[in-house]
Amino acid sequence: MYRRLLCTLLCVCSLVVEINARDKTSSVSYTMDGITNRDRFHYAIELLQHELEVSSLTTKIEISTVGQHSSLPDSLKEKLVNKEHFIIYRKSSKGAISLIGMDESGVLYGCMTLLAHRQWLKGEPFFFADGPKMVMRGTSVGLQKTTYLPGHDIYEYPYTPESFPWFYDKKLWLNYLDMMAENRYNALYLWNGHPFSSLVKLKDYPYALEVDEGTFGKNEEIYTFLTKEANKRGIWIIQMFYNIILPKPFADRHGLKTQERNRVITPLISDYTRKSIAAFVAKYPNVGLLITLGEAMEGVGQDDVNWFTKTIIPGVQDGLHTSGISVEPPIILRAHDTDAPAVMEAALPIYKNLYTMAKYNGEALTTYTPRGKWAELHRSLSAIGTVHIQNVHILANLEPFRYGSPDFIQKSVKAMHGIHHSNGIHIYPQASYWDWPYSADKVANRLLQQDRDWMWYKAWARYAWDENRDLLHEQSYWSKELAQYYGISETDAQKLLLAIEEIGEISPKILRRFGITDGNRQTSSLGMLMTQLINPYRYGLFTLLYESEAPAGEMIVDYVEKDDRHETHVGETPVQVAKEIVQHGERALMLISGLGKPTKNVAEFNRWLQDIRIHDLLANHYSCKVKAAIQLLQYKYTHELNALRKALPDLEKSVLEYRKLTEITNESYLYANSMQTKQRKIPMRGADATFIHWNEMLPVFETELNNFKHAIDSLSARTGISARSKEKLKSQQITFEDRQQLLPLKKGAKLYADQELVVTHMANELEGLQALQIDAEKQKLQGTQLRFKNERAVKILVGYYNSTDKVFAPKPVLEIDASANDFGQAETKVRNAIRIQYMPMVDIHTYSFPPGTNELKIPKGEVLILGIVDDKELQNPYNADVDNQGDDLDDLFGYYRGTKL
């Protein structure tokens, strides 16, 4: 009875609205017949009417959607095929303006465009058609924090007023949504580890709720408000979550961990998650989902496929069934730590409204020339046939400073289309993601990111809509935007724009040519230790940064090695970039010198100038330190102390520039990195919000310099230092009881039977040994077991990868395995001995066996069997340093408060 009465009232209200619409005396005419999204359509009409009334304009405007027309000329239909597209035209000077949207979003964008081009209201005939190139254009907000909550792990942040007071601020949300609508974004992603236990109650698991009843009510209210207001503005709310994360009350009740990388999927865990998703979808049917299958669960495998197709998608379908809605909300699969093509292949037959997403330049912004394996992954996801979305993620190398280079951003979007074949974009905040909604600026009242970084949001949105815009036109456009925002002349605005473009190249070039990783474990704005520059592999070098997220070029260690061999350098070199970043800074400083005083947003204008000066100092610091590193690495080949002495002036200057950088950032920034947890490791481990500011790093760099000076003095007292040479190892024969495929160990050798990977670097003394060709998949499932007979005592050379990833066999460690030295295997005999294409560095451990029948057992995971030698060989450990890691030079820099530099 109640539902019938409600339907009757809604019909009466709808009729009144339509009668009022037909009888309006205003200049806008429309009808609600055939309108699907009535709230969005009303919002667009009201926006237009309000502006016209304020401007006292009486131009007749007729607004409709394609669905409201029984027929349209083919010339118009072809302009209105895709969602969000629209046309605006006037046939004659006395005629009405017609605005036709392909859908209600098209009407909204058409109204906004008409208001932006008010000259069309003056009576001349015209025709204009438009629509976005990127079909998904989103921004993200993290409901996450700079540090962990007590008793919780990473990403575990229930929605509460204590943790996120801003989340309940409706005015803040309206301002943000208005910014999105103005820039024509159509998706807002809310990132959180496990949001469901803050937003829904489950009959079968009432104890899973992580918030009290009062907070739960507030969450319902704000989430409903947010989805409703977003819908008006053409914006999908998309809730992100990680897998598998359990709410703490649920985990405690069942004796489980909230997160466990190698968790076994049990019926209990699956049932809870499926019912959580179902309840969420039933409650908020117009909210999409963004799924991260990997990271919190074991990535890449059948578990991912099963979890997605047997838990997550069925949960969404259950929720749709409960709510009686047939329209599938979008589900976006992140290609992060999962085999996304395999997951999509299994999922598409059971759910159609699927999207994929992958990081553009990892967790940074490094290049507009992506290439290599990562670009191939993007293209493979785009080729699936669904929309593939580019995730401009974290921006760990840009924070905390301002970034607004339209040219770099435009070129990046072109690469997303042209190289990655993508048709969607997802933008992280430009800085301080973990500290939303505030920036890191040191001011009396914290600055809001959306206000400070308006240029960032506007630029990505502008080129996501249409990236093919003329350069000169764009320079004029942005100069006018800056002139209007700061109240400066267009001449000064153009200089400021060019300065912003110049510094826009500095941070990307620094990371892509000198960095360790594209991830947020490195805060590149804090600088790097000398050992991180000369020995990147020691710190877990993420090679994809150089192979896919940078132009073709050389790392510092490669550059010096080629110089020693008198080989030709290829692509972008460290010396080139060290010079270029200084030039960018110098040109930027020259452009802002003598600018006139602003009349609007004065404080922010001055902060921009300060950031430009900061970029110049950062460039100088890195340039000097890189030049010192290149000079220092020459010592590896010459063993002449003069090489170290020549590095000293540049290293001293780098500290001087860093001291200036510290002075200016002490006054202007609260921190460098917004993720202030144990995940931060470079340049120093940043657990418990330590080493987050330049004033904490300055003493480290000063100590590094002083230690280096003392090391030179110590070496000066020594004589007779000579280059190390090693005799080739002699291969020994043993008889395997199981069939084994042997092959000569050399560069280019294919040691994997089931993968196309070859040896790229190896110690000369290893060449000629007989290695075993291995089956990696079998190793991961069963481990490695060799049974053999030997007539004399031998050592088997086992290559362990320098990685803690579970796909690799763990190294023997006495602290956790009492039998780890039964065969003399605990000690690393040859460090940095061999490198396999795309793989971590390999260290050699040796297992000694007496004559007789023996057996070698190694736990599950990939491992190399590199040869058999006489047991008298390899008595003493050493560092082969096959690709110039420079481990032997690390000792030159000593320690800082117990931490080896």
Side-chain angles (χ1 to χ4, degrees):
M1 178 67 182
Y2 173 77
R3 294 187 61 142
R4 287 200 300 272
L5 178 59
L6 180 60
C7 289
T8 303
L9 287 172
L10 287 174
C11 290
V12 171
C13 291
S14 176
L15 181 60
V16 170
V17 168
E18 292 182 27
I19 292 172
N20 288 340
R22 296 187 185 105
D23 293 342
K24 278 184 183 288
T25 58
S26 75
S27 57
V28 179
S29 63
Y30 61 95
T31 176
M32 299 301 292
D33 294 335
I35 295 300
T36 303
N37 196 319
R38 302 172 75 87
D39 287 342
R40 190 172 304 166
F41 191 80
H42 263 305
Y43 180 82
I45 298 297
E46 289 173 358
L47 179 69
L48 182 61
Q49 284 179 330
H50 174 75
E51 291 299 318
L52 293 179
E53 289 170 4
V54 170
S55 305
S56 301
L57 295 169
T58 57
T59 304
K60 190 71 173 177
I61 304 172
E62 298 171 348
I63 297 181
S64 58
T65 64
V66 170
Q68 292 180 309
H69 292 264
S70 58
S71 63
L72 277 175
D74 290 342
S75 59
L76 298 184
K77 277 184 180 179
E78 64 185 18
K79 304 287 186 183
L80 296 168
V81 174
N82 297 316
K83 293 180 179 179
E84 301 183 312
H85 283 236
F86 62 88
I87 56 174
I88 312 173
Y89 63 92
R90 180 193 277 119
K91 292 182 179 179
S92 65
S93 57
K94 294 183 179 180
I97 293 176
S98 294
L99 190 162
I100 307 176
M102 195 285 171
D103 49 21
E104 290 82 0
S105 289
V107 169
L108 174 61
Y109 297 142
C111 289
M112 295 168 60
T113 301
L114 188 56
L115 291 171
H117 296 80
R118 300 198 179 210
Q119 68 272 21
W120 294 342
L121 302 172
K122 295 180 180 178
E124 296 298 323
F126 71 94
F127 182 88
F128 182 79
D130 201 9
K133 298 289 184 61
M134 292 280 197
V135 301
M136 286 287 277
R137 306 172 306 283
T139 68
S140 74
V141 167
L143 279 105
Q144 304 185 42
K145 298 182 73 65
T146 58
T147 56
Y148 295 170
L149 293 179
H152 289 269
D153 209 336
I154 189 170
Y155 307 131
E156 297 175 13
Y157 301 104
Y159 293 0
T160 66
E162 293 75 24
S163 292
F164 308 107
W166 55 266
F167 181 63
Y168 305 90
D169 187 338
K170 293 181 179 180
K171 183 179 179 181
L172 180 72
W173 277 123
L174 290 176
N175 288 337
Y176 188 78
L177 293 173
D178 285 343
M179 178 279 291
M180 292 186 67
E182 178 185 342
N183 288 303
R184 296 185 284 194
Y185 285 109
N186 64 2
L188 170 57
Y189 298 80
L190 304 178
W191 284 61
N192 185 270
H194 186 77
F196 309 114
S197 55
S198 297
L199 296 170
V200 295
K201 296 179 183 179
L202 302 181
K203 179 181 177 181
D204 293 342
Y205 305 100
Y207 50 86
L209 190 66
E210 281 196 280
V211 297
D212 58 47
E213 289 294 334
T215 299
F216 181 74
K218 291 178 180 179
N219 291 347
E220 284 186 310
E221 179 188 359
I222 194 65
Y223 214 87
T224 301
F225 167 83
L226 182 57
T227 54
K228 181 178 179 180
E229 293 297 328
N231 174 61
K232 290 179 184 177
R233 294 162 175 80
I235 300 167
W236 269 94
I237 298 296
I238 298 177
Q239 181 65 62
M240 179 271 180
F241 63 100
Y242 287 89
N243 295 277
I244 303 169
I245 296 180
L246 301 174
K248 187 169 176 54
F250 178 92
D252 291 346
R253 175 77 167 258
H254 295 283
L256 301 168
K257 295 180 180 179
T258 56
Q259 297 184 47
E260 189 174 5
R261 173 81 173 171
N262 299 306
R263 189 192 300 278
V264 175
I265 299 174
T266 66
L268 172 68
I269 292 172
S270 179
D271 185 65
Y272 162 74
T273 305
R274 177 172 177 170
K275 286 177 177 174
S276 294
I277 293 171
F280 179 80
V281 171
K283 193 171 186 177
Y284 304 106
N286 294 319
V287 176
L289 295 173
L290 171 59
I291 316 300
T292 299
L293 284 179
E295 189 157 337
M297 67 182 288
E298 185 68 50
V300 188
Q302 190 59 40
D303 277 357
D304 286 13
V305 175
N306 290 345
W307 188 251
F308 195 61
T309 59
K310 295 181 180 180
T311 297
I312 293 176
I313 291 179
V316 174
Q317 292 170 330
D318 292 346
L320 291 174
H321 178 74
T322 299
S323 62
I325 294 175
S326 60
V327 178
E328 295 178 336
I331 298 179
I332 303 166
L333 173 68
R334 283 185 73 206
H336 174 64
D337 194 28
T338 189
D339 185 352
V343 175
M344 288 291 286
E345 182 180 2
L348 277 169
I350 60 176
Y351 198 91
K352 300 304 179 187
N353 197 17
L354 294 177
Y355 299 73
T356 55
M357 176 187 289
K359 297 171 183 174
Y360 172 59
N361 284 166
E363 294 178 345
L365 185 64
T366 59
T367 187
Y368 39 76
T369 60
R371 60 193 180 93
K373 294 290 184 182
W374 193 242
E376 289 176 12
L377 172 65
H378 280 284
R379 288 193 289 269
S380 69
L381 293 171
S382 298
I384 290 174
T386 60
V387 172
H388 178 52
I389 301 168
Q390 297 286 297
N391 183 355
V392 183
H393 194 82
I394 291 292
L395 293 314
N397 67 321
L398 302 186
E399 70 172 355
F401 312 126
R402 288 157 181 76
Y403 188 95
S405 173
D407 184 60
F408 200 106
I409 291 171
Q410 183 180 14
K411 289 175 180 175
S412 296
V413 178
K414 285 184 176 180
M416 293 172 180
H417 274 304
I419 299 175
H420 286 174
H421 303 168
S422 297
N423 206 20
I425 198 167
H426 170 274
I427 306 301
Y428 258 55
Q430 186 260 302
S432 301
Y433 163 76
W434 302 92
D435 200 15
W436 180 268
Y438 305 109
S439 72
D441 296 83
K442 191 174 183 180
V443 294
N445 296 310
R446 298 289 299 274
L447 299 181
L448 294 177
Q449 294 178 31
Q450 71 181 72
D451 296 333
R452 189 196 85 152
D453 300 321
W454 64 270
M455 199 171 178
W456 169 264
Y457 289 109
K458 186 178 286 289
W460 285 106
R462 180 172 177 80
Y463 301 119
W465 187 272
D466 183 4
E467 81 279 16
N468 294 315
R469 301 176 191 263
D470 176 72
L471 175 61
L472 292 178
H473 178 270
E474 289 308 284
Q475 289 179 343
S476 175
Y477 169 82
W478 287 106
S479 294
K480 290 177 180 176
E481 289 288 313
L482 290 169
Q484 181 179 3
Y485 192 81
Y486 293 115
I488 56 178
S489 69
E490 283 201 27
T491 300
D492 280 355
Q494 187 173 28
K495 290 180 181 179
L496 177 58
L497 172 65
L498 294 176
I500 291 171
E501 300 282 22
E502 289 289 351
I503 65 166
E505 294 283 349
I506 292 175
S507 291
K509 285 184 177 180
I510 286 173
L511 188 67
R512 78 189 188 207
R513 197 48 55 204
F514 312 137
I516 301 293
T517 173
D518 68 3
N520 62 19
R521 64 185 170 99
Q522 174 170 3
T523 307
S524 61
S525 65
L526 284 175
M528 295 173 64
L529 301 177
M530 181 59 82
T531 52
Q532 289 162 352
L533 295 173
I534 66 173
N535 184 7
Y537 292 104
R538 169 183 158 189
Y539 296 89
L541 178 69
F542 188 64
T543 57
L544 198 67
L545 172 62
Y546 290 91
E547 295 163 356
S548 289
E549 296 160 3
E554 299 170 3
M555 293 189 298
I556 294 172
V557 291
D558 297 329
Y559 180 87
V560 179
E561 181 181 16
K562 284 191 173 186
D563 254 8
D564 180 67
R565 295 179 178 179
H566 304 289
E567 296 177 358
T568 303
H569 295 293
V570 177
E572 189 178 72
T573 68
V575 170
Q576 170 193 342
V577 170
K579 180 180 178 180
E580 287 178 354
I581 59 177
V582 171
Q583 291 173 338
H584 287 307
E586 289 175 344
R587 286 195 291 264
L589 287 185
M590 185 174 61
L591 284 162
I592 65 172
S593 63
L595 290 182
K597 293 183 178 180
T599 59
K600 295 191 295 185
N601 297 304
V602 176
E604 183 59 22
F605 178 85
N606 292 331
R607 284 190 284 265
W608 245 124
L609 300 190
Q610 191 86 308
D611 274 6
I612 290 170
R613 297 184 188 103
I614 286 173
H615 275 89
D616 175 64
L617 291 172
L618 186 66
N620 292 341
H621 164 73
Y622 263 103
S623 180
C624 292
K625 198 156 190 176
V626 166
K627 287 186 287 186
I630 291 171
Q631 184 63 49
L632 191 153
L633 279 169
Q634 292 177 5
Y635 177 77
K636 285 166 52 67
Y637 303 99
T638 65
H639 290 272
E640 294 178 359
L641 279 177
N642 201 37
L644 301 184
R645 294 191 183 102
K646 285 182 178 180
L648 188 55
D650 276 319
L651 187 56
E652 288 177 324
K653 189 177 179 183
S654 75
V655 174
L656 177 63
E657 293 296 310
Y658 199 88
R659 193 171 290 122
K660 297 176 186 176
L661 178 62
T662 301
E663 290 173 0
I664 196 170
T665 53
N666 272 338
E667 300 300 321
S668 53
Y669 281 99
L670 298 170
Y671 55 76
N673 48 280
S674 61
M675 188 184 195
Q676 298 165 7
T677 64
K678 61 186 179 182
Q679 276 74 17
R680 290 285 186 178
K681 295 184 178 179
I682 301 168
M684 295 288 281
R685 187 171 182 266
D688 302 321
T690 55
F691 294 104
I692 63 173
H693 199 280
W694 298 264
N695 56 30
E696 294 176 277
M697 283 305 305
L698 178 59
V700 178
F701 291 141
E702 290 173 334
T703 301
E704 182 183 56
L705 173 62
N706 291 330
N707 289 348
F708 182 58
K709 289 178 179 179
H710 289 310
I712 293 176
D713 292 340
S714 298
L715 287 171
S716 298
R718 302 180 191 177
T719 57
I721 298 174
S722 60
R724 180 185 60 239
S725 61
K726 292 288 180 183
E727 293 184 3
K728 285 194 174 182
L729 296 169
K730 296 179 181 179
S731 183
Q732 299 294 313
Q733 289 187 342
I734 61 176
T735 302
F736 291 99
E737 293 187 10
D738 302 316
R739 190 175 210 176
Q740 300 293 339
Q741 179 66 43
L742 299 175
L743 72 164
L745 186 58
K746 61 183 179 179
K747 288 186 179 180
K750 181 185 173 186
L751 299 187
Y752 282 86
D754 56 345
Q755 298 183 44
E756 296 297 323
L757 300 174
V758 299
V759 176
T760 59
H761 298 72
M762 60 176 285
N764 292 332
E765 57 268 26
L766 300 178
E767 188 171 359
L769 294 180
Q770 295 294 303
L772 273 65
Q773 194 170 58
I774 64 172
D775 185 329
E777 286 305 310
K778 184 177 179 181
Q779 284 185 329
K780 283 182 278 193
L781 291 173
Q782 302 176 12
T784 301
Q785 183 176 7
L786 299 175
R787 291 172 291 189
F788 57 92
K789 293 179 180 179
N790 50 301
E791 296 181 355
R792 56 192 302 178
V794 296
K795 280 189 174 85
I796 295 183
L797 278 58
V798 178
Y800 284 96
Y801 286 102
N802 274 324
S803 173
T804 57
D805 195 301
K806 299 298 183 183
V807 301
F808 302 117
K811 290 184 177 182
V813 178
L814 280 168
E815 284 79 2
I816 59 174
D817 181 3
S819 64
N821 203 39
D822 286 357
F823 304 93
Q825 76 271 31
E827 185 178 36
T828 303
K829 284 299 174 63
V830 188
R831 289 178 290 136
N832 309 306
I834 189 168
R835 179 175 288 283
I836 306 297
Q837 187 179 22
Y838 306 126
M839 301 290 271
M841 180 60 72
V842 174
D843 289 343
I844 294 177
H845 293 239
T846 60
Y847 289 69
S848 294
F849 295 95
T853 300
N854 291 292
E855 184 177 46
L856 169 66
K857 287 185 176 182
I858 299 172
K860 293 179 181 179
E862 294 182 33
V863 69
L864 302 176
I865 308 298
L866 296 171
I868 300 96
V869 299
D870 190 282
D871 193 41
K872 295 178 181 178
E873 298 274 18
L874 294 175
Q875 294 296 317
N876 299 311
Y878 66 94
N879 174 30
D881 194 26
V882 298
D883 55 359
N884 289 323
Q885 295 186 57
D887 262 4
D888 289 343
L889 299 180
D890 286 11
D891 292 339
L892 295 173
F893 301 97
Y895 291 79
Y896 176 79
R897 296 181 180 177
T899 299
K900 184 173 174 56
L901 299 178

